[in-house]
Amino acid sequence: MPTSSPLILVINSGSSSLKFAIYPVGERQPLASGLAERLGQSDASIRIDVDGTKNKNPLTPTNHQGAVDALMAFLKERGWFERVAAVGHRVVNGGERFTESCIVTDDAMIEEIGTCPFAPLHNPAHAIGMRAAVHAFPALKQVAVFDTAFHQTMKPEAYLYALPRKYYRDLGVRRYGAHGTSHRYVSGETIRLLGLDPNDSGVVVCHLGNGSSATAVLNGKCVDTSMGLTPLEGLVMGTRTGDVDYGALAYIAKKTGLDVDGLEKMANRESGLLGLSELSNDCRTLTEAAQAGNHQAEETLDVFVFRLCRYIGALTAALPRLDAVAFTGGIGENSAYIRAKTLKRLSALGLDLDEEANATIFGGKSGIVSRSRKPVAIVVPTDEERVIAEDTARLAGLLPAKA
Ligand code: ADP
């Protein structure tokens, strides 16, 4: 790679952390990446992974600006600072306003992103990261890449809740989905790797991690997804319920005295794999426990798989034809156990597990895991940072615009 090639800085700013990666334009692998964490606390630190080594240092000031300043110092020390040509920011929710990645034009736009009411834990933190980056790189284009943008092609039939319409009209209550950058990348890679027709293909993408969602993608566009107004709807997750009868929550509230905040906390943080297993939110830990004979762990994973299969079936109904099911995310990419249990339940859709191939695919590999070819099941490792870097490079005019 030419040492003068421009660089893209990708920032994922959370409330107490800031992840980053530095990509040469058009490259698949970052030159460096890292994480500043415990921001806002006295022991805030920054870890930078570069040249196969990880360097961790304390931060001052112990906030987002401190993290971006430390990043800037690192870029200068490496002689890369002048090469940084644009900064890309991950944004969890763009509401209905942002339907694709776009250049951050001014502070009013950062304010609008920061006050999006549907991601109160994430969007304000993105705005803080954006302001710190504008301060550090005032001359550079800043680009926002929205997790919800890919789902904005859903029609009202898919995104409206059957609530009184005034709540959509007045409050914007509808399904926005999440993980869209991952679904977009993985569906595109699935089409490319399998040689499907981009204008005539039906794919269901299962992003299975600590947070999990599944999306139906018709001709490269999202037509339905499992997450809703917030990332609580849909599949069983590490600590989130996924779908649950509201009546069950109301009953629990009446019986226990839990208020709305208490219910929200329980449904987001104490449920899912953790709540049901009473053991762990971590799929690997539960798999090991299940294999060692822990019945509750096995039953929990069965619930996870059953819900996933129900969704794959439902999402297939949003497509004229199912060509492929793609697995991604920490569980989808690594757990042969979950993929096998899932595919064995999906014979009604024509899917047929290839046990041997399935057992060999983990740790960042992609590959086909079914004997069936129509539809086919495939593992595709996700790479959200790379998508953000590419969108940023395109919007900054460093790569040709996509047709
Ligand atoms: P996040 O949503 O936080 O980005 P990840 O995509 O990193 O999460 O996925 C984390 C999940 O992936 C955890 O439940 C973890 O146990 C699971 N996982 C990672 N490797 C394996 C494995 N080899 N087998 C089963 N589960 C795995």
Side-chain angles (χ1 to χ4, degrees):
M1 161 206 335
T3 52
S4 59
S5 64
L7 302 176
I8 304 292
L9 174 59
V10 173
I11 291 182
N12 181 354
S13 177
S15 53
S16 65
S17 71
L18 187 144
K19 281 191 216 159
F20 61 88
I22 299 156
Y23 282 83
V25 168
E27 295 285 328
R28 297 174 80 95
Q29 296 300 330
L31 275 183
S33 61
L35 170 69
E37 55 188 345
R38 304 184 69 77
L39 300 178
Q41 300 191 44
S42 57
D43 57 348
S45 64
I46 184 162
R47 193 197 72 218
I48 300 183
D49 305 349
V50 64
D51 296 338
T53 61
K54 294 182 196 297
N55 305 298
K56 191 169 171 181
N57 286 301
L59 263 187
T60 38
T62 57
N63 58 17
H64 290 78
Q65 193 64 55
V68 173
D69 289 348
L71 192 48
M72 212 162 73
F74 164 75
L75 290 164
K76 284 186 175 156
E77 179 192 303
R78 286 262 154 176
W80 292 345
F81 184 73
E82 304 297 333
R83 285 170 56 196
V84 178
V87 186
H89 298 266
R90 176 193 179 212
V91 180
V92 163
N93 203 311
E96 286 189 316
R97 158 96 151 84
F98 298 106
T99 57
E100 54 187 24
S101 303
C102 60
I103 289 178
V104 179
T105 48
D106 52 24
D107 198 61
M109 185 167 158
I110 298 179
E111 182 68 18
E112 187 177 354
I113 289 170
T115 52
C116 168
F118 308 123
L121 297 179
H122 293 97
N123 276 40
H126 301 325
I128 293 171
M130 278 178 196
R131 289 202 172 97
V134 169
H135 188 258
F137 303 94
L140 297 188
K141 289 211 162 76
Q142 310 274 338
V143 170
V145 179
F146 302 90
D147 277 1
T148 46
F150 185 62
H151 304 304
Q152 280 293 309
T153 46
M154 286 193 295
K155 291 187 183 159
E157 63 195 20
Y159 71 66
L160 285 178
Y161 288 118
L163 289 165
R165 193 175 276 273
K166 63 182 176 190
Y167 296 118
Y168 170 58
R169 204 169 40 230
D170 300 344
L171 300 175
V173 174
R174 51 159 281 181
R175 308 180 62 250
Y176 291 97
H179 293 142
T181 309
S182 175
H183 286 291
R184 177 179 139 206
Y185 174 75
V186 172
S187 56
E189 281 294 284
T190 300
I191 289 168
R192 188 181 71 80
L193 291 167
L194 295 173
L196 300 175
D197 183 343
N199 299 312
D200 183 19
S201 55
V203 176
V204 170
V205 176
C206 308
H207 177 114
L208 311 175
N210 212 11
S212 293
S213 65
T215 293
V217 183
L218 173 63
N219 306 337
K221 301 229 172 353
C222 171
V223 289
D224 194 12
T225 194
S226 62
M227 280 179 170
L229 175 79
T230 74
L232 188 54
E233 191 178 341
L235 304 177
V236 175
M237 304 178 222
T239 60
R240 287 176 236 157
T241 53
D243 293 345
V244 65
D245 178 2
Y246 171 76
L249 295 177
Y251 181 74
I252 291 169
K254 282 180 198 148
K255 284 287 176 188
T256 65
L258 270 181
D259 62 8
V260 171
D261 288 344
L263 281 180
E264 200 174 12
K265 178 166 168 276
M266 179 270 283
N268 273 297
R269 304 210 194 133
E270 296 160 13
S271 301
L273 298 180
L274 174 67
L276 206 47
S277 70
E278 298 180 311
L279 178 64
S280 173
N281 66 318
D282 188 288
C283 180
R284 194 167 11 186
T285 305
L286 293 181
T287 306
E288 283 160 10
Q291 286 169 338
N294 181 324
H295 172 69
Q296 205 160 289
E298 184 173 14
E299 194 177 68
T300 300
L301 293 175
D302 286 344
V303 173
F304 177 92
V305 167
F306 190 89
R307 179 85 56 87
L308 174 61
C309 291
R310 178 197 276 179
Y311 260 96
I312 294 172
L315 292 165
T316 298
L319 301 168
R321 188 186 67 245
L322 181 66
D323 292 315
V325 174
F327 292 96
T328 196
I331 299 171
E333 291 170 32
N334 294 302
S335 176
Y337 177 89
I338 293 291
R339 293 192 307 248
K341 273 184 171 267
T342 304
L343 290 171
K344 279 181 187 164
R345 296 197 76 109
L346 292 173
S347 54
L349 298 181
L351 283 154
D352 179 19
L353 172 72
D354 182 337
E355 296 256 13
E356 281 167 34
N358 185 45
T360 65
I361 298 197
F362 52 86
K365 280 193 267 181
S366 57
I368 291 174
V369 292
S370 64
R371 262 188 259 281
S372 53
R373 289 294 182 267
K374 274 178 196 264
V376 60
I378 186 170
V379 176
V380 178
T382 193
D383 196 344
E384 288 148 297
E385 276 83 14
R386 198 173 126 211
V387 177
I388 298 172
E390 277 185 17
D391 276 12
T392 304
R394 269 182 231 293
L395 283 164
L398 299 160
L399 282 174
K402 274 220 163 124

PDB file of all heavy atoms in Angstrom, residues 268-301:
ATOM      1  N   ASN A 268     -34.647  -5.422  29.577  1.00  0.00           N
ATOM      2  CA  ASN A 268     -33.417  -5.149  28.826  1.00  0.00           C
ATOM      3  C   ASN A 268     -32.187  -5.824  29.402  1.00  0.00           C
ATOM      4  O   ASN A 268     -31.310  -6.250  28.656  1.00  0.00           O
ATOM      5  CB  ASN A 268     -33.143  -3.637  28.776  1.00  0.00           C
ATOM      6  CG  ASN A 268     -33.850  -2.981  27.609  1.00  0.00           C
ATOM      7  OD1 ASN A 268     -33.580  -3.286  26.462  1.00  0.00           O
ATOM      8  ND2 ASN A 268     -34.780  -2.081  27.916  1.00  0.00           N
ATOM      9  N   ARG A 269     -32.133  -5.883  30.733  1.00  0.00           N
ATOM     10  CA  ARG A 269     -30.850  -6.273  31.345  1.00  0.00           C
ATOM     11  C   ARG A 269     -30.870  -7.574  32.123  1.00  0.00           C
ATOM     12  O   ARG A 269     -29.820  -8.109  32.438  1.00  0.00           O
ATOM     13  CB  ARG A 269     -30.387  -5.176  32.302  1.00  0.00           C
ATOM     14  CG  ARG A 269     -30.294  -3.841  31.619  1.00  0.00           C
ATOM     15  CD  ARG A 269     -29.221  -2.970  32.242  1.00  0.00           C
ATOM     16  NE  ARG A 269     -29.405  -1.620  31.777  1.00  0.00           N
ATOM     17  CZ  ARG A 269     -29.389  -0.547  32.557  1.00  0.00           C
ATOM     18  NH1 ARG A 269     -29.159  -0.686  33.827  1.00  0.00           N
ATOM     19  NH2 ARG A 269     -29.573   0.643  32.051  1.00  0.00           N
ATOM     20  N   GLU A 270     -32.074  -8.066  32.471  1.00  0.00           N
ATOM     21  CA  GLU A 270     -32.097  -9.230  33.368  1.00  0.00           C
ATOM     22  C   GLU A 270     -32.777 -10.423  32.720  1.00  0.00           C
ATOM     23  O   GLU A 270     -33.040 -11.414  33.377  1.00  0.00           O
ATOM     24  CB  GLU A 270     -32.836  -8.858  34.666  1.00  0.00           C
ATOM     25  CG  GLU A 270     -32.139  -7.781  35.462  1.00  0.00           C
ATOM     26  CD  GLU A 270     -33.057  -7.070  36.459  1.00  0.00           C
ATOM     27  OE1 GLU A 270     -34.168  -7.574  36.719  1.00  0.00           O
ATOM     28  OE2 GLU A 270     -32.658  -5.994  36.942  1.00  0.00           O
ATOM     29  N   SER A 271     -33.078 -10.311  31.438  1.00  0.00           N
ATOM     30  CA  SER A 271     -33.878 -11.347  30.779  1.00  0.00           C
ATOM     31  C   SER A 271     -33.037 -12.120  29.761  1.00  0.00           C
ATOM     32  O   SER A 271     -31.845 -12.319  29.954  1.00  0.00           O
ATOM     33  CB  SER A 271     -35.089 -10.681  30.111  1.00  0.00           C
ATOM     34  OG  SER A 271     -35.857 -10.014  31.085  1.00  0.00           O
ATOM     35  N   GLY A 272     -33.666 -12.568  28.675  1.00  0.00           N
ATOM     36  CA  GLY A 272     -32.947 -13.260  27.620  1.00  0.00           C
ATOM     37  C   GLY A 272     -32.221 -14.504  28.121  1.00  0.00           C
ATOM     38  O   GLY A 272     -32.691 -15.184  29.039  1.00  0.00           O
ATOM     39  N   LEU A 273     -31.071 -14.783  27.533  1.00  0.00           N
ATOM     40  CA  LEU A 273     -30.299 -15.982  27.904  1.00  0.00           C
ATOM     41  C   LEU A 273     -29.983 -15.971  29.396  1.00  0.00           C
ATOM     42  O   LEU A 273     -30.080 -16.997  30.069  1.00  0.00           O
ATOM     43  CB  LEU A 273     -28.991 -16.044  27.102  1.00  0.00           C
ATOM     44  CG  LEU A 273     -29.097 -16.154  25.576  1.00  0.00           C
ATOM     45  CD1 LEU A 273     -27.703 -16.195  24.943  1.00  0.00           C
ATOM     46  CD2 LEU A 273     -29.892 -17.403  25.163  1.00  0.00           C
ATOM     47  N   LEU A 274     -29.620 -14.783  29.904  1.00  0.00           N
ATOM     48  CA  LEU A 274     -29.252 -14.669  31.323  1.00  0.00           C
ATOM     49  C   LEU A 274     -30.443 -14.987  32.228  1.00  0.00           C
ATOM     50  O   LEU A 274     -30.337 -15.801  33.143  1.00  0.00           O
ATOM     51  CB  LEU A 274     -28.749 -13.252  31.612  1.00  0.00           C
ATOM     52  CG  LEU A 274     -28.463 -12.931  33.085  1.00  0.00           C
ATOM     53  CD1 LEU A 274     -27.272 -13.753  33.590  1.00  0.00           C
ATOM     54  CD2 LEU A 274     -28.190 -11.445  33.279  1.00  0.00           C
ATOM     55  N   GLY A 275     -31.570 -14.346  31.935  1.00  0.00           N
ATOM     56  CA  GLY A 275     -32.722 -14.497  32.818  1.00  0.00           C
ATOM     57  C   GLY A 275     -33.258 -15.916  32.821  1.00  0.00           C
ATOM     58  O   GLY A 275     -33.620 -16.454  33.867  1.00  0.00           O
ATOM     59  N   LEU A 276     -33.286 -16.523  31.650  1.00  0.00           N
ATOM     60  CA  LEU A 276     -33.889 -17.854  31.525  1.00  0.00           C
ATOM     61  C   LEU A 276     -32.952 -18.945  32.044  1.00  0.00           C
ATOM     62  O   LEU A 276     -33.396 -19.928  32.627  1.00  0.00           O
ATOM     63  CB  LEU A 276     -34.226 -18.076  30.042  1.00  0.00           C
ATOM     64  CG  LEU A 276     -35.337 -19.030  29.669  1.00  0.00           C
ATOM     65  CD1 LEU A 276     -36.593 -18.799  30.508  1.00  0.00           C
ATOM     66  CD2 LEU A 276     -35.667 -18.855  28.184  1.00  0.00           C
ATOM     67  N   SER A 277     -31.658 -18.788  31.827  1.00  0.00           N
ATOM     68  CA  SER A 277     -30.706 -19.830  32.253  1.00  0.00           C
ATOM     69  C   SER A 277     -30.348 -19.677  33.727  1.00  0.00           C
ATOM     70  O   SER A 277     -29.900 -20.631  34.355  1.00  0.00           O
ATOM     71  CB  SER A 277     -29.420 -19.748  31.425  1.00  0.00           C
ATOM     72  OG  SER A 277     -28.690 -18.584  31.758  1.00  0.00           O
ATOM     73  N   GLU A 278     -30.526 -18.478  34.260  1.00  0.00           N
ATOM     74  CA  GLU A 278     -30.051 -18.145  35.621  1.00  0.00           C
ATOM     75  C   GLU A 278     -28.576 -18.465  35.763  1.00  0.00           C
ATOM     76  O   GLU A 278     -28.091 -18.816  36.824  1.00  0.00           O
ATOM     77  CB  GLU A 278     -30.887 -18.872  36.689  1.00  0.00           C
ATOM     78  CG  GLU A 278     -32.350 -18.465  36.655  1.00  0.00           C
ATOM     79  CD  GLU A 278     -33.202 -19.157  37.694  1.00  0.00           C
ATOM     80  OE1 GLU A 278     -33.106 -20.400  37.796  1.00  0.00           O
ATOM     81  OE2 GLU A 278     -33.962 -18.472  38.391  1.00  0.00           O
ATOM     82  N   LEU A 279     -27.861 -18.384  34.636  1.00  0.00           N
ATOM     83  CA  LEU A 279     -26.446 -18.755  34.647  1.00  0.00           C
ATOM     84  C   LEU A 279     -25.580 -17.705  33.956  1.00  0.00           C
ATOM     85  O   LEU A 279     -24.643 -17.180  34.547  1.00  0.00           O
ATOM     86  CB  LEU A 279     -26.275 -20.124  33.948  1.00  0.00           C
ATOM     87  CG  LEU A 279     -24.857 -20.662  33.807  1.00  0.00           C
ATOM     88  CD1 LEU A 279     -24.256 -20.932  35.176  1.00  0.00           C
ATOM     89  CD2 LEU A 279     -24.871 -21.959  32.966  1.00  0.00           C
ATOM     90  N   SER A 280     -25.902 -17.381  32.691  1.00  0.00           N
ATOM     91  CA  SER A 280     -25.041 -16.466  31.935  1.00  0.00           C
ATOM     92  C   SER A 280     -25.786 -15.897  30.739  1.00  0.00           C
ATOM     93  O   SER A 280     -26.706 -16.518  30.211  1.00  0.00           O
ATOM     94  CB  SER A 280     -23.804 -17.240  31.454  1.00  0.00           C
ATOM     95  OG  SER A 280     -23.031 -16.441  30.592  1.00  0.00           O
ATOM     96  N   ASN A 281     -25.307 -14.718  30.289  1.00  0.00           N
ATOM     97  CA  ASN A 281     -25.838 -14.138  29.042  1.00  0.00           C
ATOM     98  C   ASN A 281     -25.001 -14.593  27.853  1.00  0.00           C
ATOM     99  O   ASN A 281     -25.283 -14.238  26.714  1.00  0.00           O
ATOM    100  CB  ASN A 281     -25.792 -12.605  29.115  1.00  0.00           C
ATOM    101  CG  ASN A 281     -24.363 -12.085  29.162  1.00  0.00           C
ATOM    102  OD1 ASN A 281     -23.533 -12.645  29.862  1.00  0.00           O
ATOM    103  ND2 ASN A 281     -24.074 -11.047  28.416  1.00  0.00           N
ATOM    104  N   ASP A 282     -23.962 -15.353  28.129  1.00  0.00           N
ATOM    105  CA  ASP A 282     -22.965 -15.671  27.110  1.00  0.00           C
ATOM    106  C   ASP A 282     -23.265 -17.036  26.490  1.00  0.00           C
ATOM    107  O   ASP A 282     -23.322 -18.059  27.180  1.00  0.00           O
ATOM    108  CB  ASP A 282     -21.585 -15.680  27.787  1.00  0.00           C
ATOM    109  CG  ASP A 282     -20.472 -15.798  26.791  1.00  0.00           C
ATOM    110  OD1 ASP A 282     -20.296 -16.889  26.220  1.00  0.00           O
ATOM    111  OD2 ASP A 282     -19.782 -14.788  26.570  1.00  0.00           O
ATOM    112  N   CYS A 283     -23.433 -17.035  25.187  1.00  0.00           N
ATOM    113  CA  CYS A 283     -23.841 -18.256  24.486  1.00  0.00           C
ATOM    114  C   CYS A 283     -22.814 -19.373  24.637  1.00  0.00           C
ATOM    115  O   CYS A 283     -23.162 -20.540  24.769  1.00  0.00           O
ATOM    116  CB  CYS A 283     -24.061 -17.909  23.008  1.00  0.00           C
ATOM    117  SG  CYS A 283     -24.560 -19.293  22.013  1.00  0.00           S
ATOM    118  N   ARG A 284     -21.544 -18.971  24.640  1.00  0.00           N
ATOM    119  CA  ARG A 284     -20.499 -20.009  24.727  1.00  0.00           C
ATOM    120  C   ARG A 284     -20.551 -20.702  26.098  1.00  0.00           C
ATOM    121  O   ARG A 284     -20.473 -21.929  26.186  1.00  0.00           O
ATOM    122  CB  ARG A 284     -19.134 -19.365  24.505  1.00  0.00           C
ATOM    123  CG  ARG A 284     -18.039 -20.363  24.254  1.00  0.00           C
ATOM    124  CD  ARG A 284     -16.783 -19.736  23.738  1.00  0.00           C
ATOM    125  NE  ARG A 284     -16.806 -18.294  23.829  1.00  0.00           N
ATOM    126  CZ  ARG A 284     -15.874 -17.500  23.340  1.00  0.00           C
ATOM    127  NH1 ARG A 284     -14.854 -18.038  22.708  1.00  0.00           N
ATOM    128  NH2 ARG A 284     -15.939 -16.202  23.467  1.00  0.00           N
ATOM    129  N   THR A 285     -20.706 -19.892  27.146  1.00  0.00           N
ATOM    130  CA  THR A 285     -20.796 -20.457  28.499  1.00  0.00           C
ATOM    131  C   THR A 285     -21.994 -21.407  28.588  1.00  0.00           C
ATOM    132  O   THR A 285     -21.900 -22.507  29.140  1.00  0.00           O
ATOM    133  CB  THR A 285     -20.974 -19.320  29.533  1.00  0.00           C
ATOM    134  OG1 THR A 285     -19.921 -18.396  29.360  1.00  0.00           O
ATOM    135  CG2 THR A 285     -20.997 -19.824  30.951  1.00  0.00           C
ATOM    136  N   LEU A 286     -23.113 -20.993  28.002  1.00  0.00           N
ATOM    137  CA  LEU A 286     -24.323 -21.831  28.065  1.00  0.00           C
ATOM    138  C   LEU A 286     -24.155 -23.105  27.248  1.00  0.00           C
ATOM    139  O   LEU A 286     -24.643 -24.172  27.633  1.00  0.00           O
ATOM    140  CB  LEU A 286     -25.539 -21.042  27.577  1.00  0.00           C
ATOM    141  CG  LEU A 286     -25.952 -19.868  28.462  1.00  0.00           C
ATOM    142  CD1 LEU A 286     -27.188 -19.177  27.889  1.00  0.00           C
ATOM    143  CD2 LEU A 286     -26.219 -20.331  29.897  1.00  0.00           C
ATOM    144  N   THR A 287     -23.472 -22.986  26.122  1.00  0.00           N
ATOM    145  CA  THR A 287     -23.262 -24.172  25.283  1.00  0.00           C
ATOM    146  C   THR A 287     -22.409 -25.188  26.048  1.00  0.00           C
ATOM    147  O   THR A 287     -22.726 -26.390  26.077  1.00  0.00           O
ATOM    148  CB  THR A 287     -22.576 -23.779  23.959  1.00  0.00           C
ATOM    149  OG1 THR A 287     -23.348 -22.751  23.349  1.00  0.00           O
ATOM    150  CG2 THR A 287     -22.465 -24.963  23.018  1.00  0.00           C
ATOM    151  N   GLU A 288     -21.355 -24.693  26.688  1.00  0.00           N
ATOM    152  CA  GLU A 288     -20.494 -25.601  27.453  1.00  0.00           C
ATOM    153  C   GLU A 288     -21.279 -26.245  28.585  1.00  0.00           C
ATOM    154  O   GLU A 288     -21.169 -27.446  28.828  1.00  0.00           O
ATOM    155  CB  GLU A 288     -19.279 -24.827  28.004  1.00  0.00           C
ATOM    156  CG  GLU A 288     -18.236 -24.573  26.917  1.00  0.00           C
ATOM    157  CD  GLU A 288     -17.264 -23.437  27.253  1.00  0.00           C
ATOM    158  OE1 GLU A 288     -17.258 -22.949  28.409  1.00  0.00           O
ATOM    159  OE2 GLU A 288     -16.524 -23.031  26.334  1.00  0.00           O
ATOM    160  N   ALA A 289     -22.119 -25.428  29.252  1.00  0.00           N
ATOM    161  CA  ALA A 289     -22.920 -25.963  30.357  1.00  0.00           C
ATOM    162  C   ALA A 289     -23.919 -27.003  29.837  1.00  0.00           C
ATOM    163  O   ALA A 289     -24.090 -28.072  30.434  1.00  0.00           O
ATOM    164  CB  ALA A 289     -23.652 -24.824  31.063  1.00  0.00           C
ATOM    165  N   ALA A 290     -24.560 -26.687  28.701  1.00  0.00           N
ATOM    166  CA  ALA A 290     -25.541 -27.626  28.127  1.00  0.00           C
ATOM    167  C   ALA A 290     -24.851 -28.945  27.773  1.00  0.00           C
ATOM    168  O   ALA A 290     -25.382 -30.032  28.051  1.00  0.00           O
ATOM    169  CB  ALA A 290     -26.186 -27.012  26.888  1.00  0.00           C
ATOM    170  N   GLN A 291     -23.670 -28.835  27.196  1.00  0.00           N
ATOM    171  CA  GLN A 291     -22.962 -30.054  26.796  1.00  0.00           C
ATOM    172  C   GLN A 291     -22.484 -30.856  28.005  1.00  0.00           C
ATOM    173  O   GLN A 291     -22.272 -32.053  27.913  1.00  0.00           O
ATOM    174  CB  GLN A 291     -21.808 -29.702  25.854  1.00  0.00           C
ATOM    175  CG  GLN A 291     -22.354 -29.326  24.464  1.00  0.00           C
ATOM    176  CD  GLN A 291     -21.322 -28.710  23.535  1.00  0.00           C
ATOM    177  OE1 GLN A 291     -20.318 -28.176  23.981  1.00  0.00           O
ATOM    178  NE2 GLN A 291     -21.583 -28.772  22.234  1.00  0.00           N
ATOM    179  N   ALA A 292     -22.346 -30.150  29.143  1.00  0.00           N
ATOM    180  CA  ALA A 292     -21.940 -30.841  30.373  1.00  0.00           C
ATOM    181  C   ALA A 292     -23.162 -31.357  31.148  1.00  0.00           C
ATOM    182  O   ALA A 292     -23.034 -31.832  32.271  1.00  0.00           O
ATOM    183  CB  ALA A 292     -21.124 -29.899  31.250  1.00  0.00           C
ATOM    184  N   GLY A 293     -24.368 -31.210  30.559  1.00  0.00           N
ATOM    185  CA  GLY A 293     -25.558 -31.806  31.168  1.00  0.00           C
ATOM    186  C   GLY A 293     -26.446 -30.841  31.928  1.00  0.00           C
ATOM    187  O   GLY A 293     -27.380 -31.270  32.606  1.00  0.00           O
ATOM    188  N   ASN A 294     -26.183 -29.527  31.844  1.00  0.00           N
ATOM    189  CA  ASN A 294     -27.037 -28.557  32.545  1.00  0.00           C
ATOM    190  C   ASN A 294     -28.340 -28.372  31.752  1.00  0.00           C
ATOM    191  O   ASN A 294     -28.360 -27.763  30.685  1.00  0.00           O
ATOM    192  CB  ASN A 294     -26.270 -27.227  32.689  1.00  0.00           C
ATOM    193  CG  ASN A 294     -27.064 -26.173  33.430  1.00  0.00           C
ATOM    194  OD1 ASN A 294     -28.278 -26.077  33.300  1.00  0.00           O
ATOM    195  ND2 ASN A 294     -26.369 -25.363  34.213  1.00  0.00           N
ATOM    196  N   HIS A 295     -29.418 -28.909  32.301  1.00  0.00           N
ATOM    197  CA  HIS A 295     -30.697 -28.928  31.581  1.00  0.00           C
ATOM    198  C   HIS A 295     -31.227 -27.517  31.323  1.00  0.00           C
ATOM    199  O   HIS A 295     -31.708 -27.208  30.228  1.00  0.00           O
ATOM    200  CB  HIS A 295     -31.725 -29.741  32.352  1.00  0.00           C
ATOM    201  CG  HIS A 295     -33.103 -29.635  31.766  1.00  0.00           C
ATOM    202  ND1 HIS A 295     -33.424 -30.190  30.537  1.00  0.00           N
ATOM    203  CD2 HIS A 295     -34.216 -29.001  32.220  1.00  0.00           C
ATOM    204  CE1 HIS A 295     -34.690 -29.889  30.262  1.00  0.00           C
ATOM    205  NE2 HIS A 295     -35.188 -29.181  31.261  1.00  0.00           N
ATOM    206  N   GLN A 296     -31.101 -26.655  32.328  1.00  0.00           N
ATOM    207  CA  GLN A 296     -31.655 -25.296  32.183  1.00  0.00           C
ATOM    208  C   GLN A 296     -30.909 -24.510  31.091  1.00  0.00           C
ATOM    209  O   GLN A 296     -31.503 -23.723  30.362  1.00  0.00           O
ATOM    210  CB  GLN A 296     -31.571 -24.574  33.529  1.00  0.00           C
ATOM    211  CG  GLN A 296     -32.601 -23.476  33.667  1.00  0.00           C
ATOM    212  CD  GLN A 296     -32.853 -23.085  35.110  1.00  0.00           C
ATOM    213  OE1 GLN A 296     -33.460 -23.851  35.865  1.00  0.00           O
ATOM    214  NE2 GLN A 296     -32.388 -21.919  35.498  1.00  0.00           N
ATOM    215  N   ALA A 297     -29.607 -24.750  30.992  1.00  0.00           N
ATOM    216  CA  ALA A 297     -28.813 -24.080  29.942  1.00  0.00           C
ATOM    217  C   ALA A 297     -29.260 -24.589  28.575  1.00  0.00           C
ATOM    218  O   ALA A 297     -29.446 -23.806  27.627  1.00  0.00           O
ATOM    219  CB  ALA A 297     -27.324 -24.345  30.153  1.00  0.00           C
ATOM    220  N   GLU A 298     -29.464 -25.893  28.464  1.00  0.00           N
ATOM    221  CA  GLU A 298     -29.877 -26.463  27.175  1.00  0.00           C
ATOM    222  C   GLU A 298     -31.256 -25.955  26.774  1.00  0.00           C
ATOM    223  O   GLU A 298     -31.489 -25.558  25.621  1.00  0.00           O
ATOM    224  CB  GLU A 298     -29.876 -27.992  27.259  1.00  0.00           C
ATOM    225  CG  GLU A 298     -30.194 -28.625  25.913  1.00  0.00           C
ATOM    226  CD  GLU A 298     -30.030 -30.133  25.909  1.00  0.00           C
ATOM    227  OE1 GLU A 298     -29.927 -30.733  26.996  1.00  0.00           O
ATOM    228  OE2 GLU A 298     -30.015 -30.692  24.800  1.00  0.00           O
ATOM    229  N   GLU A 299     -32.161 -25.924  27.728  1.00  0.00           N
ATOM    230  CA  GLU A 299     -33.525 -25.461  27.450  1.00  0.00           C
ATOM    231  C   GLU A 299     -33.509 -23.993  27.006  1.00  0.00           C
ATOM    232  O   GLU A 299     -34.243 -23.591  26.100  1.00  0.00           O
ATOM    233  CB  GLU A 299     -34.362 -25.627  28.720  1.00  0.00           C
ATOM    234  CG  GLU A 299     -35.838 -25.503  28.501  1.00  0.00           C
ATOM    235  CD  GLU A 299     -36.580 -25.755  29.803  1.00  0.00           C
ATOM    236  OE1 GLU A 299     -36.462 -24.931  30.741  1.00  0.00           O
ATOM    237  OE2 GLU A 299     -37.272 -26.773  29.883  1.00  0.00           O
ATOM    238  N   THR A 300     -32.645 -23.194  27.646  1.00  0.00           N
ATOM    239  CA  THR A 300     -32.525 -21.775  27.280  1.00  0.00           C
ATOM    240  C   THR A 300     -32.074 -21.642  25.827  1.00  0.00           C
ATOM    241  O   THR A 300     -32.622 -20.842  25.051  1.00  0.00           O
ATOM    242  CB  THR A 300     -31.521 -21.073  28.222  1.00  0.00           C
ATOM    243  OG1 THR A 300     -32.008 -21.181  29.553  1.00  0.00           O
ATOM    244  CG2 THR A 300     -31.325 -19.613  27.847  1.00  0.00           C
ATOM    245  N   LEU A 301     -31.076 -22.419  25.446  1.00  0.00           N
ATOM    246  CA  LEU A 301     -30.594 -22.349  24.054  1.00  0.00           C
ATOM    247  C   LEU A 301     -31.662 -22.860  23.091  1.00  0.00           C
ATOM    248  O   LEU A 301     -31.784 -22.369  21.957  1.00  0.00           O
ATOM    249  CB  LEU A 301     -29.283 -23.133  23.901  1.00  0.00           C
ATOM    250  CG  LEU A 301     -28.101 -22.516  24.667  1.00  0.00           C
ATOM    251  CD1 LEU A 301     -26.867 -23.408  24.578  1.00  0.00           C
ATOM    252  CD2 LEU A 301     -27.774 -21.110  24.160  1.00  0.00           C
TER     253      LEU A 301
END
